[in-house]
Amino acid sequence: MDTIKKPSLWLGALVGALLTMTLTSVLFLADQLAGLPFIPFDVFDFVSRVLPGALLTFGIDMMVDMIIAFNMGETSVAAKTAEQLMGLGAFLGLGLVCVAAFYGILNRSKTRARNLYPGLMLGLGFGAVMLLISEQVNLTATAPKAAQIVWVLIVSLLWGAAANWIYNALAHSGAKTKIDEETGETITVEALDRRQFMVRIGGASAVLTVIGAGLGAFIGNRPGEGQVAGDASGASDGDVLPNLEGNMEPAPGTRPEYTPLDDHYRIDISSRPPVIDSGEWRLDVTGLVENPVSLSLGDLYDKFERVDRFITLSCISNRIGGTLISTTKWSGFRMSDFLELVKPQADAVALKITGADNFDEYVMLDVINADDRIMFAYEWDDQPLKQKHGFPLRIYIPDRYGMKQPKWIESIEFVDAWQEGYWVRRGWSVEAMVNPTSVVDTVATDAILKDDQGYVVPIGGIAYAGAKRISRVEVSVNDGDWQEAKLRMPLSELTWVLWRFDWRFQEGEYRFSVRAYDGDGNLQSLESRGTRPDGATGVHSKKETMPSLADLESPPTETEA
């Protein structure tokens, strides 16, 4: 006789967690090895697209708060890591709940069959839902579509069957009795030790998880950084920065004037950037144009005059003093030249630009016609755009935050009316105009200088007003009078400006505040305001305790007389 001892929902949740951890590592290995879908990230991307804008923004704000509070590093890098961890956690939680619910259903079932059909049905349903989600949001799978479908269904069926097999083993773990036909004696078969059985399951799951994750990590980065078609690479030619002869040396500790390419911030709507084949990519131009075209990457090099511009780009989610702002050299072609090729019709009003990540934005034609600096870019820092930075094509619109500037552009449709773009539909700014801002990067107490009047502390940072430029920066100490700082020649009219203020050293605690004026002499907003919906404003300050001169690690250096 077989004694039934039904597993609890909590035990089902534990089994679900162990099996889903193993499933995650197997999916990761297949993703790295064969370009198959990595479902956990797809689940996160799907959820982030269907959440209401206010709730999504609340989640973003909480994430940034934690990054800042725990000093987790550069905001955009830490945020992307957090997104991916949340994707893994969400997938784990989904698997846990599904198996726990499955065990609950089996516990209520009157059947005593010990087959795996229920588990196979669970896996089939789970796999079908995951495929539907992946179909809508996956950007990185490169395997044939049929292979993707078969793979996800196979691993899901195995996951469901394993859950069912473990249930059967646990449910029939009680002592079993039978009667010896020869002697008539009752024989008791030793019961399965549940604890020992779960330890074995957990160990097997851990081994498979480590093997899958380890091999996936060993295989390394996925392809897709992007290579330029043909030989028109525009490789770096060793250009020097145009302001190297500037008459102001930045204060030690000021952020780099030209952002290293790998340090350039990136904010996008997906856990991972799209993988795009440069040989197959086309820019499809449709709608209200006289000359609809489909352009290859090579066509962009051949058909349009190359332009190079030094540009600062800022995210609308950047807080006062935040790191979501960077400067690099953009190369591409003028939007005006592009319009001459495609010839918009008289009733065309706007361009709907859509990226491979399904991000869309509308750009008004009158905005384009009024500013010849609007451009499409295919290179940063004299290199083809990296995958994570929008390969193979992105747009630049002066005076706008990054939320209005799609990356991974695949299609442009000329339309007769403006509509809300991706972030506007979620409650963010319609215009997304850059707010002038200034930041104290450093109070260089480790670089105190001596002159014939005593000691000075170099203080420095950046000021940025989009394409409106910066005409003046002022510093206040402990809410005292505003004093003018020195400005370094900017890399271009489209970049930030580095400023420096040499403050006469005094011991004690001080707060250094900064404010800036744009090129027309307008003072930045001093009102403290959060990022949503129009970008942050306010005065940035940095507190610093000045040590006694005797406590400095090294003696001050002499400045020139």
Side-chain angles (χ1 to χ4, degrees):
M1 179 178 296
D2 196 353
T3 302
I4 304 297
K5 186 179 180 181
K6 298 178 179 178
S8 66
L9 296 183
W10 292 110
L11 195 53
L14 175 60
V15 171
L18 293 173
L19 291 179
T20 307
M21 285 172 52
T22 304
L23 176 61
T24 299
S25 70
V26 171
L27 289 170
F28 177 64
L29 176 59
D31 163 68
Q32 296 294 307
L33 189 62
L36 291 161
F38 188 56
I39 303 298
F41 288 172
D42 293 345
V43 170
F44 177 84
D45 292 342
F46 176 80
V47 172
S48 66
R49 281 162 173 73
V50 300
L51 284 176
L55 183 57
L56 181 60
T57 299
F58 175 75
I60 293 173
D61 288 341
M62 286 193 62
M63 182 193 304
V64 174
D65 285 339
M66 293 183 64
I67 291 171
I68 295 174
F70 293 98
N71 194 24
M72 298 168 63
E74 198 279 320
T75 302
S76 64
V77 175
K80 190 58 62 178
T81 301
E83 288 178 4
Q84 294 178 347
L85 290 175
M86 285 190 285
L88 295 173
F91 187 66
L92 180 64
L94 181 63
L96 181 154
V97 169
C98 286
V99 175
F102 176 65
Y103 277 28
I105 293 172
L106 292 182
N107 285 345
R108 291 177 175 272
S109 175
K110 295 182 179 180
T111 179
R112 295 292 181 263
R114 298 184 61 177
N115 56 56
L116 300 181
Y117 294 145
L120 293 173
M121 294 302 296
L122 168 68
L124 182 62
F126 184 83
V129 172
M130 294 303 102
L131 280 172
L132 289 174
I133 291 174
S134 183
E135 176 64 26
Q136 296 184 56
V137 299
N138 186 276
L139 306 172
T140 59
T142 56
K145 186 63 65 175
Q148 296 181 37
I149 294 173
V150 171
W151 167 249
V152 172
L153 289 179
I154 287 176
V155 294
S156 297
L157 287 169
L158 292 173
W159 171 83
N164 200 156
W165 174 78
I166 295 173
Y167 176 89
N168 289 341
L170 294 171
H172 297 273
S173 61
K176 303 175 184 179
T177 61
K178 66 178 182 179
I179 298 176
D180 190 302
E181 296 180 357
E182 295 182 1
T183 64
E185 295 179 355
T186 299
I187 301 175
T188 301
V189 180
E190 184 178 354
L192 171 67
D193 187 327
R194 275 190 171 188
R195 183 184 299 275
Q196 186 179 40
F197 178 71
M198 288 305 300
V199 168
R200 291 176 180 175
I201 293 296
S205 173
V207 169
L208 292 174
T209 300
V210 170
I211 291 175
L215 286 176
F218 178 77
I219 292 170
N221 296 326
R222 291 289 310 281
E225 285 296 310
Q227 299 297 325
V228 176
D231 57 4
S233 63
S236 177
D237 55 7
D239 287 346
V240 297
L241 298 180
N243 65 342
L244 285 182
E245 301 302 323
N247 59 0
M248 191 275 282
E249 185 70 21
T254 303
R255 72 188 69 189
E257 184 173 30
Y258 188 84
T259 309
L261 194 55
D262 284 333
D263 293 341
H264 199 293
Y265 91 89
R266 57 167 287 227
I267 296 292
D268 46 71
I269 63 174
S270 302
S271 298
R272 294 189 299 184
V275 174
I276 296 175
D277 187 325
S278 61
E280 297 183 359
W281 176 86
R282 291 293 185 275
L283 175 63
D284 293 322
V285 183
T286 60
L288 302 175
V289 291
E290 295 180 11
N291 183 29
V293 293
S294 181
L295 301 171
S296 69
L297 192 52
D299 291 334
L300 303 186
Y301 281 89
D302 296 337
K303 292 181 179 295
F304 303 108
E305 177 186 359
R306 177 190 176 98
V307 295
D308 301 302
R309 294 192 174 105
F310 291 92
I311 291 170
T312 294
L313 187 68
S314 179
C315 179
I316 199 169
S317 293
N318 194 36
R319 301 184 180 189
I320 298 300
T323 59
L324 301 180
I325 180 171
S326 304
T327 298
T328 194
K329 180 181 178 182
W330 296 51
S331 301
F333 54 96
R334 297 180 185 86
M335 174 69 86
S336 56
D337 292 345
F338 170 75
L339 295 184
E340 288 183 9
L341 173 68
V342 300
K343 296 180 172 54
Q345 297 176 6
D347 51 349
V349 170
L351 287 69
K352 179 186 179 183
I353 303 177
T354 305
D357 58 346
N358 294 319
F359 180 94
D360 63 286
E361 186 52 69
Y362 290 78
V363 182
M364 298 296 290
L365 268 173
D366 59 359
V367 172
I368 297 173
N369 293 329
D371 195 337
D372 193 50
R373 297 169 300 183
I374 297 176
M375 64 182 290
F376 288 114
Y378 44 63
E379 290 183 9
W380 271 9
D381 193 28
D382 289 321
Q383 303 174 45
L385 285 169
K386 292 187 174 234
Q387 177 191 356
K388 64 181 180 179
H389 291 315
F391 175 82
L393 191 67
R394 61 184 298 160
I395 191 174
Y396 169 68
I397 307 172
D399 267 338
R400 262 66 172 188
Y401 285 112
M403 63 159 276
K404 302 290 287 186
Q405 313 197 35
K407 305 185 284 287
W408 304 289
I409 297 173
E410 286 191 329
S411 68
I412 299 175
E413 180 185 5
F414 285 73
V415 296
D416 60 3
W418 177 89
Q419 295 185 41
E420 294 180 339
Y422 182 92
W423 283 117
V424 179
R425 294 193 296 270
R426 287 160 175 80
W428 287 84
S429 176
V430 172
E431 296 294 335
M433 298 294 292
V434 167
N435 296 305
T437 187
S438 50
V439 178
V440 181
D441 279 338
T442 179
V443 179
T445 56
D446 57 348
I448 294 178
L449 303 170
K450 183 179 180 181
D451 60 16
D452 56 4
Q453 299 180 38
Y455 300 96
V456 293
V457 180
I459 302 166
I462 62 163
Y464 177 61
K468 296 180 285 294
R469 296 180 288 181
I470 293 293
S471 62
R472 181 183 178 95
V473 171
E474 297 176 333
V475 176
S476 172
V477 183
N478 285 353
D479 297 324
D481 294 338
W482 291 96
Q483 305 173 68
E484 187 170 1
K486 296 179 181 179
L487 302 183
R488 181 174 169 82
M489 180 190 299
L491 292 171
S492 79
E493 65 177 8
L494 301 175
T495 67
W496 56 26
V497 173
L498 271 58
W499 60 267
R500 174 175 177 151
F501 178 73
D502 289 333
W503 176 71
R504 283 293 162 189
F505 175 86
Q506 300 178 59
E507 296 182 21
E509 295 184 358
Y510 295 90
R511 184 177 72 254
F512 301 89
S513 305
V514 64
R515 68 184 188 183
Y517 297 79
D518 68 18
D520 294 327
N522 299 310
L523 178 62
Q524 70 172 79
S525 174
L526 306 183
E527 176 191 359
S528 181
R529 186 184 72 191
T531 57
R532 183 181 174 90
D534 297 310
T537 61
V539 175
H540 186 249
S541 301
K542 184 180 286 290
K543 294 181 179 180
E544 192 72 33
T545 299
M546 296 295 160
S548 66
L549 290 178
D551 292 336
L552 295 177
E553 295 182 359
S554 59
T557 58
E558 296 283 346
T559 59
E560 294 183 1

